[in-house]
């Protein structure tokens, strides 16, 4: 088995490799004067099972499109070098939020991403807490595995929250299933029943509206669960609504902390008291410094390492993700 990690995901890849007791395989990445790139393995991959780890988010060094192109080109180069099987391990999968047509002639980018990865030669894809699981699973014709962070969050919070009056909140109707699963996980950890509440949310043309909360949050600790934090506008409005409804404390749990645009300013003023994210997308923005004391980063590398091990050895991912 070979494990590669492209630039931009090297630190996370090294953590995964350590858990697998491997060294990252050597590769070359070059950027030419006109912006084009070259990516190739520097080791023999003939008849090998190869895993390529690369999180597809934009940072201060590479934008999302550059990262995507490098991943596609590298998968192609591996297949041309006679790799037996190539698995794309993508902790954060870009373009997964546009999973259906909400307006006439809308693109469905989840499906287009599937076509790109398949065309490049990927034999399987692994990601974590994709935006819409059903759309993700239906888009691919190759095995598409979705890991979940709920056990990471529950393991961190269960002991510290044991005596608190907790409710689990979905910030929109689309996230109810994810919130229900996390609620069940927390109930098993705490040994008691919890309540689920939902925030009303509508979006069109970049505008958000909806202020009603379905359920009671007064004098409670509200755990807002979402797959990602981008501009922070959804999280901020949800926090404001919870406080107006009398919530005692608000905590946000998001697998992917993108923190794009004005998110640091918005969340510094209107955000939760605590934000839990994973290192699938490390908090790389320097202007997050004013929020560092509120952000806790949980390590997802052991989960990815074990998933890779089981995929290679024929183990069960269902059992891995069980509560």
């Amino acid at each position: 088995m070979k494990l590669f990690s492209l630039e931009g995901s090297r630190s996370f890849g090294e953590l995964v490799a350590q858990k697998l007791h491997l060294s990252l395989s050597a590769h070359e990445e070059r950027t030419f004067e006109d912006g084009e790139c070259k990516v190739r393995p520097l080791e023999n991959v003939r008849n090998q099972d190869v895993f390529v780890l690369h999180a597809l988010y934009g940072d201060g060094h590479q934008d999302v499109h550059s990262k995507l192109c490098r991943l596609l080109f590298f998968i192609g180069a591996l297949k041309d070098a006679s790799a037996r099987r190539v698995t794309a391990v993508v902790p954060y999968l870009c373009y997964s939020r546009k999973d259906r047509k909400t307006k006439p002639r809308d693109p469905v980018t989840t499906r287009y991403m599937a076509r790109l990865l398949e065309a490049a030669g990927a034999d399987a894809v692994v990601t974590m807490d994709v935006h819409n699981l059903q759309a993700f699973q239906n888009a691919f014709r190759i095995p598409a595995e979705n890991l979940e962070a709920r056990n990471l969050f529950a393991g961190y919070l269960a002991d510290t929250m044991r005596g608190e009056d907790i409710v689990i909140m979905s910030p929109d109707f689309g996230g109810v299933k994810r919130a229900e699963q996390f609620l069940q996980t927390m109930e098993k950890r705490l040994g008691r029943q919890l309540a689920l509440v939902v925030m009303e949310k509508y979006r069109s043309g970049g505008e958000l509206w909806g202020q009603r909360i379905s359920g009671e949050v007064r004098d409670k600790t509200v755990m807002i669960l979402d797959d990602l934090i981008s501009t922070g506008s959804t999280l901020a409005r949800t926090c404001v609504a919870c406080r107006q409804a009398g919530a005692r404390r608000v905590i946000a749990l998001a697998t992917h902390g993108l923190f794009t645009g004005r998110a640091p300013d918005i969340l510094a003023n209107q955000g939760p008291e605590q934000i839990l994210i994973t290192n699938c997308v490390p908090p790389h923005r320097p202007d997050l410094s004013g929020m560092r004391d509120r952000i806790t980063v949980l390590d997802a590398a052991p989960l990815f390492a074990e998933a890779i091990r089981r995929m290679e050895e024929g183990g069960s991912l269902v059992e891995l993700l069980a509560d």
Side-chain angles (χ1 to χ4, degrees):
M1 181 178 70
K2 300 281 188 181
L3 175 62
F4 292 89
S5 185
L6 301 187
E7 290 180 11
S9 298
R10 183 85 184 181
S11 58
F12 188 75
E14 288 174 344
L15 293 174
V16 174
Q18 289 172 11
K19 295 297 181 181
L20 289 168
H21 305 292
L22 294 174
S23 296
L24 289 177
S25 296
H27 75 285
E28 177 191 19
E29 291 185 53
R30 290 181 60 192
T31 302
F32 298 102
E33 289 79 0
D34 61 357
E36 294 183 3
C37 64
K38 170 186 173 181
V39 193
R40 69 181 178 116
L42 295 177
E43 300 182 16
N44 178 31
V45 297
R46 184 177 297 274
N47 294 327
Q48 300 264 353
D49 287 344
V50 180
F51 293 82
V52 184
L53 191 150
H54 200 36
L56 299 177
Y57 62 91
D59 55 29
H61 304 286
Q62 294 180 18
D63 63 26
V64 63
H65 307 109
S66 177
K67 288 188 175 184
L68 175 58
C69 278
R70 288 169 188 251
L71 176 61
L72 296 172
F73 294 165
F74 192 59
I75 291 171
L78 290 167
K79 296 298 283 191
D80 287 346
S82 299
R84 177 172 57 193
R85 180 178 175 84
V86 178
T87 299
V89 182
V90 189
Y92 176 73
L93 182 64
C94 62
Y95 287 112
S96 62
R97 280 178 278 181
K98 199 73 185 73
D99 49 51
R100 61 191 176 91
K101 292 186 177 183
T102 55
K103 293 184 178 180
R105 296 174 292 281
D106 260 358
V108 185
T109 54
T110 299
R111 190 170 73 242
Y112 308 158
M113 284 293 298
R115 290 177 180 175
L116 286 170
L117 288 164
E118 290 167 356
D123 297 289
V125 174
V126 182
T127 189
M128 190 168 190
D129 280 329
V130 73
H131 187 66
N132 184 322
L133 180 57
Q134 289 73 27
F136 169 73
Q137 292 172 333
N138 290 331
F140 284 87
R141 295 170 294 178
I142 58 176
E145 306 292 351
N146 179 66
L147 306 181
E148 299 171 355
R150 56 191 169 96
N151 282 324
L152 294 178
F153 292 141
Y156 180 84
L157 291 168
D159 289 337
T160 59
M161 296 291 167
R162 195 164 296 278
E164 302 230 10
D165 191 358
I166 299 168
V167 295
I168 309 300
M169 170 175 273
S170 172
D172 53 41
F173 300 116
V176 169
K177 186 63 177 179
R178 181 183 291 110
E180 285 178 343
Q181 292 174 333
F182 180 65
L183 178 142
Q184 293 165 5
T185 300
M186 285 295 292
E187 285 182 335
K188 290 180 181 179
R189 298 290 182 108
L190 297 174
R192 56 188 170 93
Q193 289 188 330
L194 303 176
L196 177 69
V197 297
V198 183
M199 180 73 190
E200 180 185 40
K201 174 184 170 183
Y202 303 99
R203 184 196 299 270
S204 182
E207 296 294 325
L208 291 174
W209 70 93
Q211 297 295 325
R212 291 177 293 184
I213 296 175
S214 175
E216 181 58 57
V217 300
R218 182 171 297 279
D219 298 325
K220 300 182 185 297
T221 295
V222 182
M223 294 184 181
I224 304 170
L225 181 72
D226 211 346
D227 60 308
L228 60 87
I229 299 172
S230 182
T231 64
S233 56
T234 293
L235 178 56
R237 61 183 286 279
T238 306
C239 290
V240 170
C242 287
R243 293 188 180 106
Q244 290 176 345
R248 189 180 70 84
R249 186 181 176 201
V250 182
I251 300 172
L253 321 173
T255 305
H256 309 295
L258 300 179
F259 300 111
T260 61
R262 295 183 56 247
D265 293 334
I266 293 172
L267 295 176
N269 296 323
Q270 299 178 317
E273 287 86 342
Q274 185 179 10
I275 301 175
L276 267 62
I277 59 175
T278 72
N279 57 348
C280 291
V281 180
H284 54 275
R285 288 184 54 165
D287 54 355
L288 282 171
S289 57
M291 295 180 56
R292 295 290 177 183
D293 59 336
R294 283 197 268 169
I295 297 176
T296 300
V297 183
L298 304 183
D299 186 11
L303 179 60
F304 275 91
E306 184 59 25
I308 290 171
R309 189 195 315 276
R310 293 186 182 213
M311 293 180 72
E312 177 67 9
E313 299 176 357
S316 171
L317 294 187
V318 173
E319 293 176 0
L320 174 63
L321 299 177
D323 295 337

